[in-house]
């Protein structure tokens, strides 16, 4: 990479400023793949629920699905002219950062200065500007009938990434504390949700936290037979209420802190992920991602912070997305959540 740096920087510069968006490539190569992905999405109830949860939680921006369903009127908005106009706005210099690993900063700056001269300092006036409105959490409920399976997402406002202004390390600890998916083969696991829902072997439960540049979404996903998803969802909420009431041992919280820190440091060892986080931080906040600071932040989380975080989630508006047999899957109010 170090020896070939000029070549790759020039290549990136050309991709940004000299790409031709042609009709035949869009219609013959891109759109068929999009349609195949749309058909695949239709059979995946969990993916549909994740899309729904983001849309309900954030409306526009983060709420716009990366993989729209087949009913989305894409041809109305997607053509080669719109793509070219969008690229001119997206690739204006304030909207991207060039980040590299294992190269001298002076060398990188030299070649970027030479090969990125065609990138505009601002988006052209005749092109719609990129919407930079900060993400806002709304919450609510959406129910989608489906006969191929059952999935529920119970989601709550989370934390931004480390470089964002709404970074809350206690959310990562809470996600690890709740857990659900076992890391031990043939074992239900030892997390709070693993133990609370072990009576429902037909339900698969997992807690994830999606951290974005200025917001986050804490998601508890439940998939399986409709009756098991229904019953497990009630125990999930009961478990969250126990955390909010402080009915969790200090030892379990210590384990959750250690697990959250391990996951953060493990992801930090991934060079590609680190570069992406650094680039996003520089574009949004002018701040680079610092994995050691992330670890320190998680280490500093207290038992009281975790308790308050859980209580705040329950007191606020949740996001509940249900996909499957709606005759059986419960409404948010039936399992004790506010929407």
């Amino acid at each position: 990479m170090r020896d070939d740096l000029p070549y790759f920087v020039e290549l990136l510069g050309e991709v940004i400023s000299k790409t031709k968006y042609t009709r035949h490539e869009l219609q013959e190569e891109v759109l068929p793949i999009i349609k195949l992905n749309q058909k695949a999405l239709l059979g995946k109830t969990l993916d549909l629920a994740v899309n729904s949860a983001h849309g309900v939680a954030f409306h526009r921006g983060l709420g716009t699905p990366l993989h729209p369903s087949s009913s989305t009127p894409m041809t109305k908005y997607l053509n080669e002219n719109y793509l070219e106009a969008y690229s001119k706005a997206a690739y204006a210099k304030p909207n991207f950062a060039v980040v590299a690993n294992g190269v001298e900063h002076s060398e990188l700056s030299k070649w970027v200065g030479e090969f990125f001269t065609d990138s505009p300092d601002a988006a052209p006036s005749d092109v719609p500007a990129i919407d930079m409105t900060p993400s806002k959490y709304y919450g609510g409920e959406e129910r989608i009938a489906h006969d191929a399976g059952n999935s529920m997402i119970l989601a709550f406002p989370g934390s931004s990434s480390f470089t964002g202004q709404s970074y809350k390390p206690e959310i990562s600890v809470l996600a690890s504390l709740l857990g659900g998916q076992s890391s031990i083969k043939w074992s239900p696991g030892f997390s709070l949700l693993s133990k609370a829902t072990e009576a429902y072997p037909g339900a698969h439960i997992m807690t994830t936290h999606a951290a974005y540049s200025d917001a986050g979404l804490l998601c508890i996903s439940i998939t399986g037979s409709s009756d098991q998803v229904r019953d497990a969802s009630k125990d999930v909420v009961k478990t969250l209420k126990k955390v909010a009431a402080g009915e969790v041992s200090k030892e379990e919280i210590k384990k959750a802190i250690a697990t959250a820190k391990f996951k953060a440091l493990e992801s930090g060892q991934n060079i590609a992920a680190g570069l992406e986080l650094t680039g996003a931080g520089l574009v949004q906040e002018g701040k680079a991602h610092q994995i050691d600071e992330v670890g320190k932040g998680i280490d500093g989380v207290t038992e009281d912070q975790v308790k308050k975080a859980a209580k705040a989630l329950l007191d606020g508006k949740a996001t509940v997305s249900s996909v499957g047999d709606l005759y059986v899957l419960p409404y948010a109010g039936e399992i004790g959540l506010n929407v």
Side-chain angles (χ1 to χ4, degrees):
M1 174 68 180
R2 189 173 293 138
D3 295 336
D4 297 323
L5 183 63
Y7 168 77
F8 285 110
V9 174
E10 182 179 14
L11 182 63
L12 284 175
E14 289 181 353
V15 168
I16 285 178
S17 61
K18 295 184 170 64
T19 295
K20 302 297 182 183
Y21 299 90
T22 60
R23 177 179 297 182
H24 72 275
E25 285 181 304
L26 176 63
Q27 294 182 345
E28 296 174 13
E29 299 180 24
V30 178
L31 288 180
I33 295 176
I34 291 177
K35 291 178 180 178
L36 287 174
N37 288 333
Q38 287 178 320
K39 289 181 179 179
L41 178 66
L42 284 176
K44 300 176 180 177
T45 58
L46 181 56
D47 289 350
L48 288 171
V50 170
N51 274 354
S52 167
H54 278 75
V56 171
F58 298 113
H59 293 185
R60 304 185 186 278
L62 290 176
T64 304
L66 289 176
H67 305 288
S69 65
S70 56
S71 59
T72 303
M74 294 187 63
T75 54
K76 180 180 179 181
Y77 301 101
L78 189 61
N79 62 46
E80 66 280 4
N81 296 321
Y82 288 158
L83 285 174
E84 184 174 1
Y86 180 77
S87 73
K88 289 179 180 178
Y91 292 145
K93 287 180 179 178
N95 294 333
F96 70 90
V98 181
V99 185
N101 181 67
V103 299
E104 293 293 334
H105 182 267
S106 58
E107 281 292 298
L108 180 63
S109 297
K110 170 187 174 183
W111 297 117
V112 168
E114 180 173 338
F115 294 123
F116 280 74
T117 54
D118 292 334
S119 300
D121 293 326
S125 58
D126 59 339
V127 172
I130 301 295
D131 186 4
M132 300 299 287
T133 304
S135 299
K136 180 181 177 181
Y137 177 85
Y138 295 90
E141 183 171 18
E142 184 173 30
R143 295 166 63 82
I144 303 170
H146 206 293
D147 65 356
N150 301 277
S151 296
M152 281 189 74
I153 296 284
L154 312 182
F156 307 89
S159 163
S160 69
S161 60
F162 169 73
T163 55
Q165 295 183 6
S166 58
Y167 175 61
K168 301 173 185 176
E170 60 268 26
I171 296 295
S172 296
V173 175
L174 179 59
S176 295
L177 180 65
L178 293 172
Q181 185 177 28
S182 175
S183 58
I184 304 172
K185 194 173 184 180
W186 312 120
S187 169
F190 303 100
S191 66
L192 294 185
L193 290 183
S194 295
K195 291 183 283 188
T197 59
E198 60 183 354
Y200 313 111
H204 178 76
I205 303 170
M206 180 171 60
T207 304
T208 57
H209 177 238
Y212 303 105
S213 57
D214 63 350
L217 197 64
L218 178 68
C219 297
I220 303 171
S221 62
I222 314 169
T223 58
S225 62
S226 57
D227 57 335
Q228 296 248 311
V229 170
R230 176 196 60 204
D231 295 340
S233 66
K234 297 176 182 178
D235 281 346
V236 165
V237 176
K238 288 179 182 177
T239 302
L240 194 54
K241 288 180 177 179
K242 286 183 179 180
V243 177
E247 299 174 9
V248 179
S249 69
K250 292 183 178 180
E251 188 62 30
E252 286 177 308
I253 291 181
K254 286 181 180 179
K255 289 179 181 178
I257 291 173
T259 301
K261 182 179 179 181
F262 172 78
K263 289 180 179 179
L265 295 178
E266 185 181 39
S267 67
Q269 292 179 348
N270 185 314
I271 294 176
L275 291 176
E276 183 178 343
L277 288 169
T278 297
L282 290 172
V283 170
Q284 293 290 333
E285 303 290 342
K287 181 179 177 183
H289 184 77
Q290 301 289 341
I291 189 61
D292 55 338
E293 293 297 322
V294 174
K296 290 178 182 177
I298 294 174
D299 262 340
V301 172
T302 65
E303 182 180 352
D304 190 54
Q305 282 179 302
V306 176
K307 175 183 173 181
K308 287 182 178 178
K311 188 176 186 305
L313 300 186
L314 290 169
D315 290 343
K317 288 185 67 175
T319 293
V320 179
S321 293
S322 304
V323 181
D325 185 352
L326 301 185
Y327 292 107
V328 179
L329 296 180
Y331 283 87
E334 295 173 348
I335 59 176
L337 291 178
N338 302 315
V339 292

